Every structure is written in C-alpha cells, then in structure tokens.
Amino acid sequence: MKNKVIITGGTGYIGSHTAVEFIQNGFEVVLVDNLSNSDISIVDRIEKITGIKPEFEEIDLTDIKKTSSFFKKHKDAKGVINFAALKAVGESVQKPIEYYRNNLNILLNVLENMEVNSISNFIFSSSATVYGLPDKLPITEESETKRPTSPYGNTKKVGEEIIEDFVKIAKNVKAISLRYFNPIGAHKSGLIGEAPTGIPNNLMPYITQVAAGVRKELKVFGKDYDTKDGTAIRDYIHVMDLAVAHMAAFKRLNDTGKDQKYEIFNIGTGIGYSVLDVISSFEKTSKQKLNYSFDDRREGDVPMLYADSSKASKVLHWGTSLSLDDMTRSSWEWEESLK
Ligand code: NAD
Ligand code: WQD
C-alpha cells in the first residue's frame, strides 16, 4: 500500500508542483482546496504529467465540520503539507480580518484534526517575510524574526508560533516549517505554473505578462538601493527545487523520533539576484526584449534578502539544482502555454 499524504492548497502554484513530486516518489496524494485561487483543471494536468489522477476534495478548510469529516475519512494519511492560505501581501493590508481568519483558522483546524486522527507529520509553508528587514546577510534560521509589515506576513509569523505551542502538548504531531524565499519558475512540461488572478504582485509573473503583451510595461521598483546595480536583491528559487525540499522534509519527519517535535528550515539557493539580473536572464532565455522603466521604491520592500540554507543542506540533505536561467525559461514556457 502506498503512503498517503494530504496536500492542502494542492491545486495552487506550489502545492501542484509538490503533488507531482510526491506522486512521482510513489505517494498517494489527496489534494484539498476551496479553489479560491486555483482551478480544478490542475487535477487533470497533474494526471497528464504523472499518469496518476490524485484524489481531490473541494473544501473550505476554515469550515470546522467539513474539515473534520475530511480528516476522519483520510485518517490513514501519514502527513499533511499545508499550503492553503491567502497570499497577496497588498490585499492583506486592506483585508486584515479576512487574512487572519482564513490563514489562521486553516492552520488551527488542520492541526486539531491531525491530533485527533493521529496523523503525525506536518509541514507548514512559511516565508522569509518573518525576518523583516534583516540585520545581517545571509539569513540563518537563528536570525531574529520580526513582526512582518503586512497582515499576510504576520499570519506566517503567528502561524509558526501556534505550531511551536501546539507541538509541545501534542501527543501525535511533529512539525517542520519551511521558510521559502522567492519561488518562481514552472514545471518543465508547461502544464502547471503560477497563474495569478488579476494584476500580479510578484516580479516574475509580471515580467512574463509584459512579454506576452498582457501588460504594457514592467515598473522596476527602485534604482537607488545600495546594491551592485541599484535594484533590490532577492533569493529566487525554482518551484521544483522547492517541491523537492518538501520531500526531504517529509523524509526527515518520518525518520526522526517523537522527541524531535519541531524544526525550521530556510529554503533558498543562497544566491542573491537583483531585479536587473532577473530581467537580463529572462531576455536571454526567452529571446524577448522586455519593456521596462524605473519607478520609486515599493513601500515595505527590503533592499536585500537571501538565505543561508546550510541547515537544510546538512539536516535534510537537500540542495538546489536549477539555475536562474532555468527559472526564467520555464516561467516563459508556462506563460506561452497560456496563449
Ligand atoms: P496559491 O494561492 O497558488 O495556493 C494556495 C491555495 O490555497 C490556492 O489554491 C487556494 O485556492 C487555496 N486556499 C486558500 N484558502 C483556502 C481555504 N480556506 N480552504 C482551502 N483552500 C484554500 O499560493 P502558492 O504560491 O502556491 O503558496 C502556497 C503557500 O506557500 C501559501 O501558504 C503561501 O503563503 C506560501 N508562500 C508562498 C510564497 C510565494 O511567493 N508563492 C512564498 C512564501 C510562502
Ligand atoms: C521581488 C523584487 C520588488 C514587482 C513577496 C512577499 C513575500 C513572499 C514572496 C509569500 C522586489 C521587485 C516586483 C514589480 C519590481 N511571499 N518588483 N516590479 O516582495 O520579495 O516577496 O513574495 O510569502 O512574503 O512579500 O517578491 O516578486 O513581489 O518582488 O521591481 O512589478 O522585484 O521590488 O525587489 P518579494 P516580489
């Protein structure tokens, strides 16, 4: 019998890529999503890639009753990877209650049902946003966390604290939080990728939409940062390398004893690229000239953020294998497939 894993937010961007990785590693995958930011067609696309159609349930995980009967039905699962959340930073500033209600209630409901049904392994999608403006780079897991500027970011910081409190008393549940840096790119099949609804907030989908003619011009936010070319620096990571990190974390949870209750890992490449680096890689791999101009800095942006992921490398035996060119090329192939 295959090991079963529940993937919440499983039809979303990172969830769908992680589902492919788990199916291809022999797991039985159950996807659960309310489709608020993804499409049901992803289930068939995962089948096209893997040859296996994952089970899918459309459930709002803030609904206590439905979540509880879902977990009862899948109590034989070995673990849960919890991607389900609202994630638009700017929107969360306008709708703080909606973001706290959605993201925190999902987490509370999932954890409670895992304990009740003795499902032991939990992976939480956290974010580098918990570090705020860093004092020192690269950032290790020991670096101080700070109150994120947005309610979205704060759901990640508070989420981690909830997990920390919960695993202390949980008899059955162990957890890992993965603090993602900047996930971009898409599966090489061109069948799944990031599909933002409305105007993208993030750099990569904005770039590909400009190149595809969906948007007129990219605004590069800030050209006077104290960086090599004046634009802000981030640690971009290919979504498939990120998917593999979840597999490594799952193995870690399986392999460690009950006393290893909670661990946190940075998941980045350790390399910082500027906005202009990303544009230039994109222009090279897509053979497109990008229409862009400079604008003011975006409020809340930090000048530089990149990870020290040596803990994940040592403890999870995980590392990245895909380059910035792989990221920009696959993002473009995905965008082109949408035409
Ligand atoms: P996504 O929006 O593509 O996927 C999230 C999924 O959760 C969506 O399919 C959405 O429909 C679902 N969802 C939301 N609320 C739900 C609810 N109440 N019940 C059931 N399903 C619900 O986002 P993503 O980029 O794949 O992000 C996945 C996770 O990783 C999120 O928790 C996000 O905060 C976190 N994260 C993302 C990034 C990033 O840049 N993409 C960076 C750091 C952390
Ligand atoms: C990257 C760089 C922008 C758009 C966000 C969240 C973070 C995490 C990942 C979830 C920055 C610049 C962007 C544009 C630009 N998500 N940029 N023009 O802000 O590092 O992180 O996504 O947890 O919490 O805050 O990512 O892709 O928005 O920006 O110049 O139109 O691109 O200023 O320097 P960010 P991003």
Side-chain angles (χ1 to χ4, degrees), residues 125-186:
S125 296
S126 190
S127 166
T129 189
V130 300
Y131 294 116
L133 178 64
D135 302 322
K136 223 177 92 197
L137 288 162
I139 304 171
T140 71
E141 293 80 357
E142 306 308 316
S143 308
E144 192 193 341
T145 59
K146 295 175 184 157
R147 193 201 184 289
T149 45
S150 72
Y152 161 73
N154 207 32
T155 66
K156 296 301 176 190
K157 184 164 183 295
V158 174
E160 287 192 5
E161 290 163 1
I162 290 172
I163 296 166
E164 201 179 337
D165 289 340
F166 175 72
V167 292
K168 279 186 198 145
I169 55 93
K171 291 197 176 56
N172 304 314
V173 183
K174 298 188 297 170
I176 285 180
S177 284
L178 299 180
R179 291 177 178 160
Y180 315 155
F181 280 66
N182 288 60
I184 60 171

Side-chain angles (χ1 to χ4, degrees), residues 89 127 129 152 182 201-203 206 218-221 232 234 236 275 298 301:
V89 175
S127 166
T129 189
Y152 161 73
N182 288 60
N201 300 297
N202 297 111
L203 179 63
Y206 210 104
L218 172 79
K219 297 277 183 206
V220 175
F221 299 140
R234 295 289 182 275
Y236 298 93
V275 177
R298 184 171 65 180
D301 273 356

Side-chain angles (χ1 to χ4, degrees), residues 6-10 15 30 32-33 61 71 80-84 106 110:
I6 294 168
I7 302 188
T8 80
V30 180
V32 53
D33 203 296
L61 291 160
F71 272 89
V80 179
I81 310 180
N82 192 46
F83 293 105
I106 291 173
V110 168

Side-chain angles (χ1 to χ4, degrees), residues 147 159 210 237 278 287 313:
R147 193 201 184 289
V210 169
I237 173 167
V278 178
K287 300 182 181 67
S313 148

